[in-house]
């Protein structure tokens, strides 16, 4: 009898132990499941979520990008406009240069086609000489030239002085204004004949010499 009682107690202990073990396993599983859920929640909360446009309304980032694109487009348009303006200005300047050159060429052609004509006499020689003197900035007037010509040669382009000191030295004065060869060579005006007795060459050389020596042929009233 006492032996049988001992066996029954042993079984009860085993059953109780099994129940306790099972209960512990369930708690462990529940605890494990709770931990996993907490970890998942923590992981999710650590992910950064970008704002998404809702119902077609742009975000601040979209607005900034759009503004930057508009500014870039405006700068490109301004740059193109500036390039076009510079090109137009250059073309306009080139056209004006061509127009001026063409006008100058036409003017030159007209001058070449219609040169001034002067009579082949004392009046014509004086006027032609004055025209050349004006271009060369040589002072003198019609009156000054005519007065000195009449005193020196009486208007004869081939007049020669064969008696004064110059003639005695072998370099006689010749022409309308009685010029010696060395003086003619020194004061010859470019564009006129290199001939001492040529009326225009003689007058312009004498006027050039008188301008250098006396300030102007108009200031000469005697042998010079």
């Amino acid at each position: 009898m006492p032996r049988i009682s001992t066996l029954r107690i042993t079984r009860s202990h085993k059953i109780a132990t099994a129940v306790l073990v099972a209960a512990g396993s369930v708690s462990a599983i529940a605890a494990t499941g709770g931990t996993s859920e907490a970890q998942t929640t923590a992981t999710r909360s650590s992910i950064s979520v970008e704002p998404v446009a809702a119902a077609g309304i742009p975000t601040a980032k979209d607005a900034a990008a759009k503004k930057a694109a508009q500014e870039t487009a405006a700068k490109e348009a301004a740059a193109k406009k500036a390039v076009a303006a510079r090109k137009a200005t250059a073309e306009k300047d080139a056209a004006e240069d061509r127009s001026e050159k063409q006008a100058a060429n036409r003017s030159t052609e007209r001058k070449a086609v219609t040169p001034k004509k002067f009579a082949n006499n004392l009046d014509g020689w004086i006027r032609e000489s004055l025209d050349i003197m004006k271009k060369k900035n040589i002072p003198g007037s019609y009156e000054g030239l005519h007065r000195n010509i009449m005193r020196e040669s009486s208007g004869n382009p081939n007049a020669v002085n064969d008696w004064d000191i110059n003639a005695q030295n072998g370099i006689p004065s010749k022409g309308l204004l009685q010029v010696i060869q060395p003086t003619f060579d020194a004061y010859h005006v470019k564009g006129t004949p290199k001939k001492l007795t040529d009326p225009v060459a003689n007058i312009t050389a004498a006027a050039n010499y008188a301008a250098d020596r006396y300030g102007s042929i108009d200031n000469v009233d005697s042998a010079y």
Side-chain angles (χ1 to χ4, degrees), residues 55-200:
I57 301 175
T59 63
K61 185 176 181 180
D62 293 335
K66 184 177 180 180
K67 183 178 180 181
Q70 290 174 342
E71 290 177 350
T72 300
K75 289 179 180 179
E76 291 177 352
K80 289 180 180 179
K81 186 176 181 180
V83 171
R86 288 195 295 270
K87 183 178 180 181
T89 300
E91 290 176 349
K92 182 180 179 182
D93 292 342
E96 289 178 353
D97 289 341
R98 287 194 298 271
S99 179
E100 289 177 358
K101 288 180 180 179
Q102 290 172 354
N105 290 337
R106 287 194 296 270
S107 177
T108 301
E109 289 173 358
R110 284 195 296 270
K111 289 180 180 179
V113 173
T114 57
K116 289 184 178 180
K117 293 183 178 181
F118 300 95
N120 187 27
N121 54 32
L122 181 59
D123 179 72
W125 300 331
I126 293 175
R127 293 186 185 282
E128 183 175 355
S129 296
L130 286 171
D131 186 64
I132 294 171
M133 289 163 60
K134 182 178 180 180
K135 294 176 182 177
K136 302 293 184 178
N137 295 316
I138 300 172
S141 66
Y142 187 99
E143 186 278 331
L145 291 174
H146 187 270
R147 170 167 42 83
N148 281 283
I149 287 172
M150 296 310 293
R151 186 190 65 252
E152 293 293 328
S153 66
S154 298
N156 178 7
N158 296 312
V160 178
N161 185 323
D162 56 5
W163 56 268
D164 65 5
I165 187 64
N166 291 320
Q168 295 175 19
N169 291 330
I171 47 172
S173 301
K174 297 181 180 181
L176 291 172
L177 283 169
Q178 293 294 282
V179 182
I180 60 175
Q181 191 67 49
T183 300
F184 178 82
D185 294 338
Y187 290 92
H188 172 259
V189 176
K190 187 176 181 179
T192 62
K194 290 187 176 182
K195 182 180 179 182
L196 178 57
T197 56
D198 178 86
V200 174

Side-chain angles (χ1 to χ4, degrees), residues 5 10 15 26 29 32 49 70 81 83 99 127 148 164 185 206 208 214 217:
S5 178
T10 302
I15 292 169
V26 171
I29 291 170
T32 303
V49 179
Q70 290 174 342
K81 186 176 181 180
V83 171
S99 179
R127 293 186 185 282
N148 281 283
D164 65 5
D185 294 338
N208 195 22
Y214 306 103
I217 190 68

Side-chain angles (χ1 to χ4, degrees), residues 197-213:
T197 56
D198 178 86
V200 174
N202 188 277
I203 293 172
T204 54
N208 195 22
Y209 164 74
D212 183 46
R213 185 77 180 271

